[in-house]
Amino acid sequence: MSEGLPLLLLRLYLTPVLLQAGWNKYLHFADTVAWFGNTEWGLGLPFPTLLAALAIAAEIGGSLLLLFGLLTRLAAFSLAITMLVAMVTVHAKNGWLAIADATSWLADGTILHSERILAAPEKLQRARDLLQEHGNYDWLIESGNLVVLNNGIEFAATYFVMLLCLFWFGGGRYLSLDYYLQRGKLS
């Protein structure tokens, strides 16, 4: 049973993340289509309605297939393509980091240099000052610290690598429907 456990854990981790991404796109379909197609403030993609529908189908349908380990390789492939498109069209221009961390060697010039990330502490301090003066700061941070989102490829690339593992290895032994369908044990 332990042979399928790592793949099950990947599937269980990815399912809610990708399902939520697809569900948000579905709930705001018109806005998603507009963002996919707009060249001024969006992605400027051709056929935005089709591409939005495909992304939603991949994220909702694919994540549900991953949950059960059904058609795992097909689901992982379609989701990996979706992540690759997201990395190139949305996140690449922002570098690696998802959260702007000025202390990271991925922004401070050791490996990469990002003025935008290095400016994050000043922006964060100004936001704190405003919220402490004009807002209920303690309530705002009781669930966690304020951060500046950088929106780099970090998360999408991580999901991409996890999906490649599922594409390569499948849903896993004993703990996926694929395993039983391939052996004719489900009837």
Side-chain angles (χ1 to χ4, degrees):
M1 181 100 62
S2 66
E3 296 170 40
L5 189 58
L7 298 170
L8 173 66
L9 293 175
L10 286 177
R11 294 181 4 243
L12 292 178
Y13 180 88
L14 287 166
T15 293
V17 171
L18 299 172
L19 183 60
Q20 182 64 42
W23 189 247
N24 283 339
K25 288 178 183 74
Y26 170 75
L27 287 179
H28 308 285
F29 186 73
D31 294 335
T32 302
V33 170
W35 179 59
F36 272 39
N38 192 290
T39 56
E40 291 180 29
W41 50 264
L43 302 177
L45 297 173
F47 313 110
T49 303
L50 174 64
L51 292 178
L54 288 172
I56 291 166
E59 289 173 344
I60 292 176
S63 63
L64 292 173
L65 290 172
L66 288 183
L67 177 62
F68 297 105
L70 180 62
L71 303 173
T72 303
R73 285 188 166 98
L74 176 65
F77 180 76
S78 66
L79 287 163
I81 296 300
T82 304
M83 287 302 105
L84 191 59
V85 170
M87 287 189 298
V88 171
T89 62
V90 178
H91 304 288
K93 66 181 178 278
N94 301 321
W96 178 262
L97 294 175
I99 305 293
D101 177 6
T103 64
S104 174
W105 52 274
L106 291 168
D108 70 1
T110 305
I111 299 292
L112 301 171
H113 181 79
S114 172
E115 286 297 328
R116 200 169 98 167
I117 293 174
L118 294 175
E122 181 183 351
K123 292 176 183 178
L124 198 51
Q125 188 56 52
R126 286 189 186 179
R128 279 190 199 110
D129 292 344
L130 282 169
L131 291 169
Q132 287 171 342
E133 184 178 340
H134 302 289
N136 187 348
Y137 185 73
D138 292 333
W139 175 79
L140 288 169
I141 64 165
E142 74 182 14
S143 298
N145 294 327
L146 295 176
V147 297
V148 174
L149 181 64
N150 183 56
N151 209 21
I153 68 169
E154 180 178 2
F155 295 153
T158 302
Y159 305 149
F160 178 76
V161 170
M162 294 167 79
L163 289 161
L164 286 182
C165 288
L166 289 171
F167 175 72
W168 185 265
F169 293 106
R173 194 172 193 177
Y174 304 118
L175 300 173
S176 71
L177 290 178
D178 287 340
Y179 173 77
Y180 294 100
L181 287 173
Q182 289 171 349
R183 277 140 187 81
K185 295 179 183 175
L186 258 184
S187 21

